[in-house]
Amino acid sequence: MSGWRLLWSGVLLFWIGSGCAHYPLNAPLSRYQPTQGYRFAALRTDGNTNSLFLCLTFSGGGTRAAALAYGVLQKLKDTPITWKGKEKRLLDEVDCISAVSGGSFTAAYYALFHERLFTDFRTRFLERNIEHELKLQLFSPANLFRLLSPYFSRIDLAAELYHTTIFDQKTFADLLARGDRPFLILNATNLANGERFEFTQDQFDFLGSDLSSYPVARAVAASSAFPFLLSPISLQNYPPPLDYSLPDEYKNALQDYETNRRRFHWARNQIAYLDATRRPYLHLMDGGLADNIGLRAIENAYRRSNGFIRMLLNAGEIETLALLVVNARTAPQERLSQQERPPGLVTVGYKTATISLDNYSFETVELMKDLQRERLQAQRVIEACQRLLEERCPGGPPLPTFPVQVRIYVIEVNFEAIRDEERRHFFLNLPTSFALPSDAVQALIAVGPELLDQSSEFQRFLQSMNQE
């Protein structure tokens, strides 16, 4: 009997210990250093010029989105360009990647491992049945005990799987140690206010937290934690370090309630994190709930005076700015309107979570096109007025102008642009999952380059470089 008692005592101790399982906590920030940590300004160019500035955004959509993004990166690798007299690949000029959900896997893998993406990412992620592996983890006896803890959940199992089998246990310190571009922006959604939350040190400064030791896999897990299927990723919000000072951009924005309401609300929501007493924790879910194509992060970098794109534009360093939006949005055949019986709870929940974000994604792309047109029109107007001034008042002082006449391109890769109706129907009806057949993965990889080749905006972008 003593043997049985020993066995049951061991089981009881294991159960108690597992019930105390806790998700990994983000580290506090011991000292505020606005030029240190994983930020755009901390990365070297290494031949990647600022004059040609290329940002990519990868949408949500599970393996479908990850495979489409992979195909686009492969196309950029295979596209030779000549810029400022130097021959290179277009991929070598990618400066930043902002990603959401499924697209975050491809973005993070490329940012960490660069060329390895093209040798092993298909086997390490795209062609794996991640959903099946997650189920095996979920029903493992050891994990069943761990899941009894209120501080350890399904998303933590997913993050562990990604950490060990996809991202080689890399942290943001490893990204910073690489020191080169592209700058990676992984986006999640703060459940408390629905705001976009990005895994950069600029964002973590508001949490009084050091991003460096945080696993990249957990950021990817937060970005892809779709509601109902996975639970949130949680972060601790610490009081800011004693030497912390609020950047002027946010102080000025708080004065903009009447003149720039969008900027005011953005600053107010960021500053709210500084009250760690009232908000000691954050709970993050799929970034698609706030922005399913990752473009809002780029818009922010373009609009805000402290945004890295805006600062380079103001300094006259960017001559050509290209935004490439890889949108794996689908549009399954609509059947709800064909039946008399109202849809069930699961269908209503799914449609509620996806309809608004699809509409929001469309408007975000159009917003960036509006910003593109505004800049180009402003440049033309100033140029025309200056010519008129020189004709009417020769010798007068010149008008204030932009440092550089910037060419801007907004390029979108979207299944809706597929010309063949049968093929378009196939892609628009692919499921959002982390398990796709290998032939579907291959088709997704192949269609990305095809869509770029037929994009008139992409072709204009390539032609502009040949004119340099």
Side-chain angles (χ1 to χ4, degrees), residues 407-422:
R407 292 176 295 198
I408 305 177
Y409 302 88
V410 180
I411 307 155
E412 184 178 11
V413 172
N414 191 316
F415 297 138
E416 291 180 348
I418 298 173
R419 292 165 181 165
D420 182 81
E421 183 177 356
E422 185 175 345

Side-chain angles (χ1 to χ4, degrees), residues 136-138 140-148 152 157 160:
L136 292 179
Q137 293 286 320
L138 184 63
S140 163
N143 289 330
L144 286 174
F145 282 115
R146 298 170 76 197
L147 290 169
L148 293 173
F152 192 89
L157 289 178
E160 287 182 350

Side-chain angles (χ1 to χ4, degrees), residues 113 125 145 162 164 172 203 218 233 256 266 268 271 320 324 352 384 387 390 402 420:
F113 306 118
F125 179 73
F145 282 115
Y162 307 156
T164 56
F172 282 87
Q203 180 80 76
R218 286 191 68 81
I233 283 276
D256 284 351
W266 162 77
R268 186 187 64 178
I271 292 170
T320 295
L324 174 51
T352 301
R387 285 197 303 268
E390 290 172 357
F402 296 106
D420 182 81

Side-chain angles (χ1 to χ4, degrees), residues 22-23 25 190 192 234-237 276 278-283:
H22 200 292
Y23 58 84
L25 285 172
N190 184 347
S234 299
L235 297 174
Q236 186 164 348
N237 190 13
R278 291 184 60 191
R279 299 174 181 84
Y281 298 99
L282 282 78
H283 305 289

Side-chain angles (χ1 to χ4, degrees), residues 20-40:
C20 296
H22 200 292
Y23 58 84
L25 285 172
N26 50 302
L29 187 63
S30 59
R31 182 184 172 195
Y32 176 56
Q33 297 177 288
T35 61
Q36 303 298 312
Y38 191 67
R39 313 172 198 267
F40 177 81

Side-chain angles (χ1 to χ4, degrees), residues 206 245-268 270-271 303-306:
F206 285 96
S245 60
L246 186 67
D248 290 339
E249 167 77 2
Y250 300 91
K251 296 177 184 176
N252 296 335
L254 291 180
Q255 311 302 317
D256 284 351
Y257 181 78
E258 296 293 343
T259 57
N260 191 336
R261 196 74 58 88
R262 181 189 288 116
R263 185 169 180 248
F264 169 82
H265 281 282
W266 162 77
R268 186 187 64 178
Q270 294 299 309
I271 292 170
R303 277 185 184 271
R304 311 299 174 201
S305 63
N306 66 341

Side-chain angles (χ1 to χ4, degrees), residues 69-289:
Y70 176 92
V72 167
L73 287 174
Q74 197 168 61
K75 173 65 175 178
L76 300 185
K77 179 175 74 76
D78 296 337
T79 302
I81 63 169
T82 301
W83 183 255
K84 301 298 182 184
K86 293 186 178 180
E87 295 182 358
K88 58 180 73 176
R89 308 171 305 174
L90 187 52
L91 183 65
D92 299 326
E93 282 288 348
V94 174
D95 295 281
C96 61
I97 307 178
S98 172
V100 176
S101 198
S104 292
F105 287 86
T106 309
Y109 203 88
Y110 179 68
L112 280 167
F113 306 118
H114 285 28
E115 298 299 314
R116 259 185 59 185
L117 178 87
F118 305 109
T119 59
D120 63 11
F121 185 64
R122 292 182 64 157
T123 56
R124 299 195 79 178
F125 179 73
L126 294 179
E127 295 172 353
R128 284 172 59 187
N129 190 333
I130 298 293
E131 290 188 3
H132 178 68
E133 294 182 39
L134 287 174
K135 289 176 183 176
L136 292 179
Q137 293 286 320
L138 184 63
F139 293 107
S140 163
N143 289 330
L144 286 174
F145 282 115
R146 298 170 76 197
L147 290 169
L148 293 173
S149 169
Y151 307 109
F152 192 89
S153 59
R154 302 185 306 279
I155 193 65
D156 299 303
L157 289 178
E160 287 182 350
L161 180 68
Y162 307 156
H163 187 56
T164 56
T165 68
I166 300 175
F167 296 108
D168 291 353
Q169 304 182 36
K170 300 295 186 181
T171 67
F172 282 87
D174 294 302
L175 268 176
L176 186 60
R178 279 200 67 103
D180 55 1
R181 298 181 187 177
F183 180 54
L184 175 67
I185 308 173
L186 298 176
N187 300 278
T189 302
N190 184 347
L191 279 180
N193 57 16
E195 283 285 311
R196 182 181 65 85
F197 181 95
E198 65 182 42
F199 284 83
T200 64
Q201 188 55 54
D202 289 315
Q203 180 80 76
F204 268 57
D205 283 343
F206 285 96
L207 307 185
S209 182
D210 186 354
L211 178 63
S212 298
S213 61
Y214 201 75
V216 172
R218 286 191 68 81
V220 172
S223 181
S224 58
F226 192 78
F228 312 117
L229 300 179
L230 291 167
S231 46
I233 283 276
S234 299
L235 297 174
Q236 186 164 348
N237 190 13
Y238 300 95
L242 295 176
D243 58 351
Y244 177 78
S245 60
L246 186 67
D248 290 339
E249 167 77 2
Y250 300 91
K251 296 177 184 176
N252 296 335
L254 291 180
Q255 311 302 317
D256 284 351
Y257 181 78
E258 296 293 343
T259 57
N260 191 336
R261 196 74 58 88
R262 181 189 288 116
R263 185 169 180 248
F264 169 82
H265 281 282
W266 162 77
R268 186 187 64 178
N269 286 332
Q270 294 299 309
I271 292 170
Y273 290 122
L274 297 176
D275 189 353
T277 302
R278 291 184 60 191
R279 299 174 181 84
Y281 298 99
L282 282 78
H283 305 289
L284 305 173
M285 291 213 75
D286 195 301
L289 299 176

